[in-house]
């Protein structure tokens, strides 16, 4: 298994500011992902955090808005830049262990962001 | 996008079995069926997965039809703490897939 922690657990921010969310995993993992979950919605994949290279973003998400860092195999950050009320969501860090015949995916507890 | 279809919501009486269906008619031979659940305000939690055989663990049972086009997650004795959104996902083994989620089934367990 993998134990994932996120900081902060929640925050209330003003429009136009930026927030950086940290994700720490207790073991080295190959793949780390960032998701957004808007109120009452399912999880939407933002990007794959690649160690040592630029993140791979899904359609509708761009690096200028959601810069991601992954300096090593156990840590990643997601920044929500120039925030607006539409960015109010839960942001989730996730990791995947690839096994020979199946994949295990684990999630952090999430960061609840409210933008005023 | 997700390749599964689930009912939007279901309810179940406490102590009874909760049977959550999932259709995955386009599943391919090397894709596994996974189930996760998300209790309010928490990150999703892995429940169980299977390829073609029925599976059971301490949380639930997974029944996969012989043609693998559908499956059912069974919570044998539902409790109030099982109230959550349950996600059925199909994904390949190996490192080439993108882990996406559909809308899931909102299960409400009532007294």
């Amino acid at each position: 298994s993998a134990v994932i922690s996120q900081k902060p657990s929640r925050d209330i921010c003003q429009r136009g500011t930026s927030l950086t969310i940290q994700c720490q995993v207790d073991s080295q993992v190959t793949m780390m992902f960032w998701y957004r979950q808007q109120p009452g919605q399912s999880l939407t994949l933002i990007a794959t955090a690649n160690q040592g290279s630029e993140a791979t973003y899904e359609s509708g998400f761009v690096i200028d808005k959601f810069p991601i860092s992954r300096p090593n195999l156990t840590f990643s950050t997601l920044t929500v830049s120039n925030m607006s009320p539409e960015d109010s969501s839960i942001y989730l860090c996730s990791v995947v262990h690839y096994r020979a015949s199946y994949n295990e995916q684990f999630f952090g507890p999430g960061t609840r962001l409210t933008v005023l | 996008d997700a390749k599964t279809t689930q009912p939007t919501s279901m309810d179940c009486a406490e102590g009874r079995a909760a049977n959550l269906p999932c259709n995955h008619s386009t599943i391919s031979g090397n894709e596994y069926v996974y189930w996760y659940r998300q209790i309010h305000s928490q990150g999703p939690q892995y429940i169980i997965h299977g390829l073609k055989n029925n599976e059971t663990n301490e949380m639930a049972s997974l029944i996969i039809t012989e043609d693998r086009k559908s499956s059912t997650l069974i919570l044998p004795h539902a409790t109030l703490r099982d109230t959550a959104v349950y996600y059925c996902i199909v994904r390949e083994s190996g490192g080439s897939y993108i882990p996406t989620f559909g809308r899931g089934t909102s299960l409400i367990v009532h007294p």
Side-chain angles (χ1 to χ4, degrees):
Chain A
S1 65
V3 177
I4 305 171
S5 60
Q6 287 185 231
K7 291 181 182 179
S9 58
R10 59 177 63 227
D11 207 342
I12 300 173
C13 301
Q14 296 297 318
R15 181 196 298 261
T17 63
S18 297
L19 176 72
T20 295
I21 302 168
Q22 298 180 4
C23 174
Q24 180 73 53
V25 189
D26 69 342
S27 59
Q28 293 188 345
V29 291
T30 304
M31 302 298 287
M32 295 180 75
F33 302 93
W34 286 97
Y35 288 83
R36 179 176 72 182
Q37 188 171 30
Q38 295 175 304
Q41 302 297 313
S42 184
L43 287 75
T44 300
L45 183 64
I46 298 173
T48 303
N50 300 309
Q51 193 265 327
S53 64
E54 191 172 287
T56 304
Y57 290 86
E58 297 300 304
S59 176
F61 297 96
V62 295
I63 188 172
D64 290 345
K65 176 66 176 177
F66 297 101
I68 289 171
S69 78
R70 189 174 175 196
N72 56 53
L73 292 176
T74 64
F75 185 79
S76 178
T77 66
L78 167 74
T79 298
V80 186
S81 302
N82 188 26
M83 288 184 284
S84 67
E86 292 73 32
D87 293 320
S88 296
S89 294
I90 298 173
Y91 291 86
L92 293 147
C93 174
S94 177
V95 303
V96 172
H97 284 303
Y98 293 104
R99 306 298 185 194
S101 60
Y102 66 97
N103 305 314
E104 294 180 298
Q105 184 168 14
F106 305 94
F107 290 86
T111 295
R112 182 179 294 273
L113 171 62
T114 301
V115 184
L116 303 178
Chain B
D1 202 356
K3 298 186 288 185
T4 61
T5 304
Q6 299 177 253
T8 302
S9 63
M10 297 182 65
D11 70 279
C12 173
E14 187 178 21
R16 304 297 294 270
N19 299 296
L20 290 86
C22 179
N23 287 320
H24 31 80
S25 58
T26 60
I27 192 170
S28 62
N30 63 344
E31 288 183 318
Y32 285 72
V33 180
Y34 289 78
W35 284 83
Y36 290 81
R37 74 178 182 185
Q38 187 175 25
I39 296 171
H40 182 63
S41 297
Q42 298 182 22
Q45 173 192 25
Y46 165 83
I47 301 173
I48 198 168
H49 75 279
L51 182 62
K52 58 178 72 174
N53 298 322
N54 297 337
E55 302 288 344
T56 295
N57 63 21
E58 65 278 4
M59 292 181 66
S61 295
L62 174 61
I63 307 298
I64 303 174
T65 58
E66 190 169 343
D67 62 8
R68 302 210 323 123
K69 293 185 177 182
S70 65
S71 61
T72 301
L73 179 74
I74 301 173
L75 308 178
H77 306 286
T79 70
L80 299 179
R81 288 175 294 181
D82 291 322
T83 293
V85 177
Y86 288 77
Y87 297 98
C88 169
I89 301 157
V90 295
R91 56 176 61 150
E92 296 178 358
S93 60
S96 61
Y97 79 101
I98 301 298
T100 59
F101 285 72
R103 300 187 65 84
T105 296
S106 175
L107 173 69
I108 297 175
V109 181
H110 54 84

